[in-house]
């Protein structure tokens, strides 16, 4: 069995486990009929299609040159993008809820843990391929799994996919056991965690979609966080708590700092990596705290919605 085949099999297992996870949670809450199976089915179908469209559009010039528009329907795993999958799952859950006559927020809440679990298993599946790796490991003391993985030429590279799997495990725990914080729904908190951690992980990955020195999924994550915060700011305004202007300002400052750090990682080769990544972690923590504070300001409006 080749590495690609093993990875594809792992993706199939991840999707099946996620769908079963949702069915178990939804049935335990009294859902029957369409609401039990349609949201995960639509989330899977639209997730795969959106992942391909996202990847194709992000690399449009290259893809058109190599394959033309027919290449859009090549659904091999190396041609799928996480950003598109996230959008597809959200859209699929929303459509499934509308058809089933269930509140979309509740269906998305129930989808959050299964989707995070599927992501965790998919990340572990990157052990079989070379797309979840980081920089070359020079020190022999660090050449061990799960910190690093060895390729077919006996070269060791940092196993970034294991860090991403750990992040996904945290999302699963938050989705299952975390209390609803402020005005943030469970699925919104999981999504916020995914976007924040993806900014960090993308910077560590050796192979990723890039436009210049800024990585596409970092840009996607920043836009996603902005969308969440603007949604909460609007709810806070409806609740008479202002527009979350200090929190939005902190977000914009944080984005500027992140751009500067990425520039430094690309150009300042003499600066210790741990210093820059430590700074990135602090900035992302600050953005997360600002987003959480904005969600709290939307609390009364969100409670009234339920």
């Amino acid at each position: 069995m080749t590495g690609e085949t093993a990875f594809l099999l792992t993706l199939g297992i991840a999707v099946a486990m996620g769908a079963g996870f949702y069915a178990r949670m939804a049935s335990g809450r009294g859902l029957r009929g369409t609401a039990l199976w349609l949201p995960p089915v639509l989330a899977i179908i639209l997730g795969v299609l959106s992942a391909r469209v996202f990847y194709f559009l992000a690399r449009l010039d290259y893809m058109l040159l190599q394959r033309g528009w027919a290449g859009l329907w090549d659904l091999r795993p190396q041609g799928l993008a996480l950003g598109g999958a996230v959008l597809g799952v959200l859209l699929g859950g929303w459509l499934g809820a509308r058809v089933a006559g269930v509140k979309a927020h509740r269906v998305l809440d129930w989808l959050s843990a299964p989707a995070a679990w599927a992501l965790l298993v998919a990340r572990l599946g990157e052990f079989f391929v070379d797309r979840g790796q980081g920089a070359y490991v020079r020190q022999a003391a660090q050449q061990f799994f799960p910190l690093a993985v060895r390729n077919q030429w006996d070269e060791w590279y940092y196993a970034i996919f294991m860090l991403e799997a750990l992040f996904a495990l945290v999302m699963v725990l938050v989705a299952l056991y975390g209390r609803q914080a402020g005005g943030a729904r469970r699925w919104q908190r999981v999504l916020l965690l995914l976007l924040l951690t993806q900014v960090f992980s993308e910077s560590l990955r050796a192979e990723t979609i890039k436009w210049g020195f800024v990585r596409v999924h970092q840009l996607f994550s920043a836009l996603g966080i902005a969308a969440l915060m603007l949604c909460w700011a609007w709810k806070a305004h409806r609740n008479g708590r202002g527009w979350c202007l200090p929190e939005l300002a902190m977000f914009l400052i944080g984005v500027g700092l992140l751009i500067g750090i990425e520039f430094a990682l690309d150009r300042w080769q003499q600066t210790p990596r741990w210093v820059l990544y430590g700074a990135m972690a602090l900035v992302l923590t600050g953005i997360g705290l600002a987003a959480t504070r904005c969600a709290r300001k939307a609390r009364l409006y969100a409670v009234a919605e339920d």
Side-chain angles (χ1 to χ4, degrees):
M1 181 184 296
T2 65
E4 288 291 341
T5 302
F7 180 55
L8 187 60
L9 179 61
T10 306
L11 288 181
I13 293 172
V15 169
M17 291 178 72
F21 195 171
Y22 171 85
R24 182 181 179 89
M25 291 183 63
S27 62
R29 287 162 173 78
L31 288 187
R32 296 292 183 270
T34 306
L36 196 59
W37 61 268
L38 186 59
V41 168
L42 288 178
I44 292 168
I45 294 173
L46 293 179
V48 173
L49 293 178
S50 298
R52 180 55 186 172
V53 171
F54 188 105
Y55 181 89
F56 189 89
L57 294 178
R59 305 191 65 191
L60 186 60
D61 291 343
Y62 172 80
M63 296 300 295
L64 288 179
L65 181 63
Q66 294 295 317
R67 303 291 302 278
W69 287 103
L72 178 61
W73 308 112
D74 182 358
L75 298 180
R76 288 178 293 181
Q78 63 268 33
L80 303 177
L82 176 64
V86 170
L87 294 175
V89 168
L90 292 174
L91 179 60
W94 180 80
L95 287 174
R98 292 295 298 270
V99 172
V102 183
K103 285 187 176 181
H105 273 307
R106 297 192 183 281
V107 169
L108 291 174
D109 279 348
W110 298 333
L111 270 175
S112 59
W117 180 261
L119 178 61
L120 188 159
V121 176
R123 289 304 192 196
L124 293 177
E126 291 187 317
F127 173 84
F128 301 108
V129 291
D130 59 0
R131 288 188 291 278
Q133 299 174 5
Y136 176 71
V137 182
R138 300 183 182 277
Q139 299 182 25
Q142 298 179 0
Q143 294 178 350
F144 64 91
F145 186 79
L147 180 64
V149 287
R150 182 169 53 189
N151 64 15
Q152 57 186 325
W153 296 286
D154 286 333
E155 299 170 332
W156 288 86
Y157 292 86
Y158 288 109
I160 306 305
F161 65 90
M162 291 299 296
L163 176 63
E164 292 174 306
L166 179 61
F167 288 149
L169 177 59
V170 173
M171 295 172 212
V172 172
L173 296 176
V174 168
L176 289 177
Y177 304 113
R179 295 181 179 178
Q180 187 162 301
R185 301 295 308 214
R186 195 167 302 228
W187 70 268
Q188 291 173 330
R189 288 161 50 212
V190 171
L191 179 59
L192 178 62
L193 274 173
L194 172 62
L195 297 174
L196 289 169
T197 56
Q198 200 59 37
V199 172
F200 190 81
S201 301
E202 283 293 319
S203 186
L204 291 170
R205 278 180 168 249
E207 183 177 338
T208 184
I209 309 172
K210 297 178 70 173
W211 292 338
F213 69 87
V214 175
R215 296 157 193 251
V216 169
H217 277 98
Q218 289 181 321
L219 177 60
F220 169 80
S221 296
L223 292 175
I225 296 169
L228 282 173
M229 292 188 68
L230 288 173
C231 176
W232 291 328
W234 178 75
K235 290 181 178 181
H237 173 69
R238 289 287 298 270
N239 193 37
R241 293 191 171 188
W243 282 97
C244 294
L245 293 182
E247 291 78 13
L248 291 172
M250 287 183 63
F251 167 74
L252 292 176
I253 293 171
V255 168
L257 291 173
L258 290 173
I259 293 173
I261 292 171
E262 279 295 330
F263 180 84
L265 286 166
D266 186 60
R267 301 295 179 89
W268 298 356
Q269 300 298 324
Q270 302 303 317
T271 305
R273 304 287 94 174
W274 68 268
V275 172
L276 295 175
Y277 282 117
M280 180 180 291
L282 288 175
V283 172
L284 289 170
T285 300
I287 291 176
L289 291 173
T292 302
R293 181 177 174 83
C294 187
R296 288 200 180 106
K297 290 185 176 182
R299 179 177 183 179
L300 294 179
Y301 185 83
V303 170
E305 269 190 334
D306 290 339

